């Protein structure tokens, strides 16, 4: 997984500049017409606000549900609820459950409604430094299926073409569901207005991720920073309680890279110039390499390098992995246990520093550095408590465990539907009457 955010400040962009750049490229090269760029939609990583979105959210979270109950939980008038339910029924996102109507009730308003999830899916793509995941999700945000392939190497044009080809072949398997949207979560600097990406770790510069996938699959496409996407998944899919819109939430991620995202007022804060970076946050650890910077100290690569130096795992080969280091720690290898304990300490202190600076109402950690070795969380919490100068604050581990990357990609593909279900459906091939199978189908080898 990748989040090469250390270069974020090198090339700040504004949405207006990048839109102009994209239009110039389109006009000059003729590759991406303006009509195609309209299929690139900025990700909507926030709680529902519009009337139709509130009604759809009530059906997702509480359905089957009666219209009068929707009015109670949303605060909308019954007339507004009836209008929105009718519109959502018309586009196929809701369906009525006449079999659950109250006995003796007269009229359609007494018939409960629920999400009509079986006919549809959305597609999420997570582009990581080593692997790319393709995720099919239903309208509840549940993962239907996921496949992983190595992230293509070489030039960015060939790599994007390969990813698009993999997505087309994957989508061609879903004969009984209509695809509505495609969401991409990736590291680097994302221009959400145009779907272009700078990803130094992959060697990509102004890579037209959104346009390539929109052209290939014929779907609306949203592209987001992967840490923003994970924070969005927590906000929209992973809540254990109804979030308070005035609350703030800090999400800290660590695996091969480190990153953070803030949710403020029910919305993931996504700066135009890209997410901030904590990669160079000062830390101390001789055991993990003494680089003095957070990412190069706690990354999977750093832990594996230290384990190789200590001969816990071989210098190379299939058994030279972080998973093998964690297995050795569980089996009582003292050196391996010391390494993962040291990573837990460094992470706990780093989270404490971020908490003390930002003092959020809610604190969440995710990524395999936290979730793949849950035995280390008490050490993270202990280091956090010792380092923080503020009062006690619980650390909540992501609701998605080791599947947080696919949850992030999935929520980017669903955010537009959750924020504006009627408007989103007008953009889809389903509404345009287009052929719903992928363009230029390829025969799998």
């Amino acid at each position: 997984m990748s989040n090469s955010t250390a270069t974020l400040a090198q090339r700040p962009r504004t949405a207006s500049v990048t839109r102009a750049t994209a239009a110039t490229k389109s006009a000059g090269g003729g590759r991406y017409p303006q009509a195609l760029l309209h299929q690139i939609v900025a990700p909507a990583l926030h709680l529902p606000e519009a009337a139709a979105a509130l009604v759809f959210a009530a059906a997702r979270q509480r359905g089957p549900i009666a219209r009068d109950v929707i009015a109670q939980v949303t605060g909308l008038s019954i007339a507004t609820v009836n209008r929105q339910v009718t519109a959502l029924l018309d586009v196929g996102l809701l369906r009525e459950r006449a079999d659950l109507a109250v006995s003796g009730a007269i009229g359609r308003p007494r018939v409960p409604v629920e999400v009509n999830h079986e006919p549809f899916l959305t597609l999420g793509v997570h582009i990581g430094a080593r692997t790319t995941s393709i995720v099919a999700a239903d309208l509840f945000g549940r993962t239907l299926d996921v496949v992983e392939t190595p992230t293509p190497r070489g030039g960015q044009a060939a790599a994007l073409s390969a990813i698009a080809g993999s997505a087309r072949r994957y989508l061609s398997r879903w004969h009984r569901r209509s695809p509505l949207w495609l969401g991409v979560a990736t590291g680097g600097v994302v221009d959400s207005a145009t779907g272009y990406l700078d990803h130094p770790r992959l060697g990509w510069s102004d890579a037209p991720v959104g346009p390539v996938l929109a052209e290939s699959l014929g779907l609306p496409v949203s592209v987001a920073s992967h840490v923003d996407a994970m924070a969005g998944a927590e906000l929209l899919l992973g809540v254990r309680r109804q979030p308070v819109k005035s609350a703030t939430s800090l999400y800290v991620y660590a695996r091969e890279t480190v990153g953070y995202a803030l949710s403020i007022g029910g919305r993931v804060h996504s700066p135009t110039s890209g997410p901030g970076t904590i990669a160079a946050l000062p830390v101390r650890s001789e055991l993990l390499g003494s680089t003095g910077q957070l990412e190069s100290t706690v990354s999977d690569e750093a832990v594996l390098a230290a384990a190789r130096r200590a001969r816990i795992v071989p210098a190379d080969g299939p058994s030279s992995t972080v998973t093998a280091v964690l297995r050795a720690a569980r089996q009582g290898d003292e050196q391996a246990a010391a390494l993962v304990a040291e990573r837990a300490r460094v992470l706990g202190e780093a989270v404490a520093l971020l908490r003390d600076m930002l003092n959020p109402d809610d604190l969440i950690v995710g990524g395999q550095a936290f979730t793949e070795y849950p035995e280390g969380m008490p050490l993270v919490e202990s280091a956090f408590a010792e380092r923080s100068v503020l009062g006690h604050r619980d650390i909540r581990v992501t609701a998605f465990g080791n599947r947080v990357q696919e949850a992030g990609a999935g929520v980017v593909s669903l955010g537009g539907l959750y924020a504006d279900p009627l408007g989103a459906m007008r953009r889809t091939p389903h509404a345009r009457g287009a052929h719903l199978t992928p363009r230029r189908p390829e025969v799998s080898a």
Side-chain angles (χ1 to χ4, degrees):
M1 178 147 182
S2 60
N3 184 26
S4 301
T5 54
T7 60
L8 291 175
Q10 295 175 4
R11 281 185 28 176
R13 309 187 199 177
T14 65
S16 59
V17 170
T18 48
R19 284 195 189 98
T21 301
T24 301
K25 289 180 181 179
S26 301
R31 186 175 182 189
Y32 304 119
Q34 196 66 33
L36 178 63
L37 295 181
H38 289 161
Q39 288 294 88
I40 311 303
V41 183
L45 302 175
H46 59 80
L47 296 175
E49 298 168 345
L54 290 168
V55 170
F56 189 58
R60 284 192 295 109
Q61 295 162 1
R62 297 169 179 259
I65 185 171
R67 290 164 173 80
D68 57 344
V69 179
I70 294 175
Q72 292 171 15
V73 300
T74 62
L76 300 171
S77 71
I78 190 64
T80 298
V81 169
N82 283 332
R83 286 195 300 271
Q84 301 306 325
V85 166
T86 298
L88 292 166
L89 288 168
D90 288 344
V91 298
L93 288 176
L94 294 184
R95 63 189 176 196
E96 293 185 314
R97 290 293 305 273
D99 57 312
L100 299 179
V102 177
S103 178
I106 300 174
R108 295 184 68 186
R110 302 297 299 174
V111 177
V113 296
E114 67 181 6
V115 173
N116 186 28
H117 61 95
E118 284 96 345
F120 305 115
L121 64 79
T122 63
L123 204 65
V125 178
H126 174 259
I127 303 174
R130 292 192 172 92
T131 61
T132 291
S133 301
I134 303 176
V135 183
D138 71 6
L139 297 186
F140 290 105
R142 300 176 300 201
T143 297
L144 299 171
D145 184 57
V146 60
V147 296
E148 286 191 356
T149 61
T151 299
R153 300 301 173 185
Q156 67 187 37
L160 286 176
S161 178
I163 291 171
S166 295
R168 285 199 309 274
R169 289 190 294 272
Y170 180 75
L171 196 55
S172 68
R173 306 175 187 175
W174 296 91
H175 304 295
R176 297 182 180 180
R177 289 182 182 255
S178 299
L180 299 180
W181 208 278
L182 189 146
V184 181
T186 180
V189 182
V190 173
D191 178 358
S192 60
T194 63
Y196 278 71
L197 169 68
D198 285 347
H199 200 315
R201 186 156 185 172
L202 293 178
W204 296 2
S205 177
D206 279 330
V209 176
V212 166
L213 289 168
E215 182 181 56
S216 180
L217 279 79
L219 296 172
V221 177
S222 297
V223 186
S225 156
H226 70 169
V227 182
D228 285 355
M230 295 174 208
E234 297 292 335
L235 185 67
L236 292 170
L237 301 176
V239 292
R240 296 183 177 92
R241 59 189 182 278
Q242 188 65 28
V244 179
K245 285 196 173 183
S246 61
T248 58
S249 177
L250 171 65
Y251 182 88
V252 182
Y253 171 83
R255 188 186 186 183
E256 190 58 61
T257 58
V258 295
Y260 78 100
L262 277 173
S263 295
I264 304 172
R267 182 179 297 266
V268 177
H269 177 59
S270 301
T272 303
S273 57
T277 178
I278 57 173
L281 204 68
V283 298
R284 54 179 177 83
S285 176
E286 294 296 330
L287 192 59
L288 290 172
S290 68
T291 65
Q293 297 187 347
L294 179 62
E295 184 169 285
S296 54
T297 299
V298 301
S299 68
D300 281 2
E301 183 178 345
V303 172
L304 186 56
R308 286 168 175 166
R309 288 194 300 270
R311 298 185 179 180
I312 298 167
V313 295
D316 52 31
S319 60
S320 184
T321 64
V322 170
T323 301
V325 178
L326 300 181
R327 186 185 307 116
R330 290 191 179 99
Q331 293 173 348
D333 186 304
E334 293 184 0
Q335 287 183 299
L339 283 181
V340 294
E342 179 70 349
R343 174 157 76 167
R345 179 193 67 79
V346 174
L347 283 170
E349 292 185 354
V351 172
L353 184 58
L354 288 168
R355 181 270 173 121
D356 287 358
M357 287 192 297
L358 301 169
N359 196 20
D361 299 304
D362 198 18
L363 179 57
I364 309 164
V365 296
Q368 280 78 350
F370 296 105
T371 60
E372 199 162 354
Y373 190 71
E375 300 94 325
M377 273 308 299
L379 300 174
V380 172
E381 292 166 344
S382 174
F384 169 83
E386 185 174 343
R387 177 65 177 82
S388 177
V389 299
L390 298 180
H392 174 76
R393 179 63 49 84
D394 288 332
I395 300 176
R396 179 158 61 90
V397 180
T398 175
F400 301 100
N402 284 345
R403 304 176 69 181
V404 67
Q405 290 89 356
E406 65 190 61
V411 84
V412 177
S413 72
L414 287 161
L417 283 159
Y418 288 178
D420 182 11
L422 300 177
M425 289 298 283
R426 287 192 290 269
R427 288 181 173 271
T428 66
H430 176 76
R432 298 195 302 266
H435 188 50
L436 289 172
T437 54
R439 298 180 183 182
R440 296 179 288 148
E442 296 183 358
V443 178
S444 299

